[in-house]
Amino acid sequence: MGAAARAINYDLAYLSRVLNGKEQPSVKLAGALDQLVEAGGAMAGTMLNADDRSRAARSVAQPSRVDAGTIDALSRVLAAYRRLRDALDPGSVIPVTLMHVDDITRMLKGARGPQRD
């Protein structure tokens, strides 16, 4: 982790918090890590913009109100995780992917209307 922090010119403590799930990464950090591990943009693709983050949080809190925009955003993230898994050791990607799958499963159980399909 120290070598990675030096290579991308980021604070080791910040990188540690991000990699241990204690802090959300910035889009800039995701891009730097993408370049470092040659993931071809997949890591940055896992990042939601502010609008999509808000939409996803609302849908997690109220699954019956999930909308097409949320579904599109989350499908893009899961596709990016799939590409990331191809670029990195799957063991390092699977745990965070499963967190998203758990959220999506909870939303699916509470979803209503045409978005449920």
Side-chain angles (χ1 to χ4, degrees):
M1 196 175 337
R6 284 188 299 280
I8 60 175
N9 199 28
Y10 268 84
D11 178 63
L12 177 60
Y14 171 62
L15 187 58
S16 176
R17 288 190 306 272
V18 167
L19 295 177
N20 287 308
K22 295 178 180 174
E23 189 167 334
Q24 288 291 319
S26 67
V27 173
K28 186 178 173 188
L29 174 61
L33 289 171
D34 247 335
Q35 288 182 329
L36 180 68
V37 300
E38 299 176 354
M43 193 168 299
T46 66
M47 304 291 297
L48 292 173
N49 64 34
D51 215 28
D52 288 337
R53 268 195 315 274
S54 174
R55 174 178 274 136
R58 187 176 55 248
S59 294
V60 168
Q62 297 176 321
S64 64
R65 302 187 79 187
V66 67
D67 62 8
T70 301
I71 293 169
D72 288 342
L74 294 177
S75 67
R76 287 191 309 270
V77 168
L78 289 177
Y81 275 117
R82 173 67 174 92
R83 290 189 311 275
L84 192 57
R85 193 198 74 167
D86 291 342
L88 302 176
D89 170 36
S92 64
V93 177
I94 290 172
V96 70
T97 305
L98 290 176
M99 288 180 354
H100 287 285
V101 169
D102 287 345
D103 286 339
I104 291 168
T105 301
R106 279 193 299 280
M107 277 190 277
L108 174 62
K109 289 178 181 177
R112 302 288 178 262
Q115 303 309 325
R116 182 178 170 93
D117 292 338

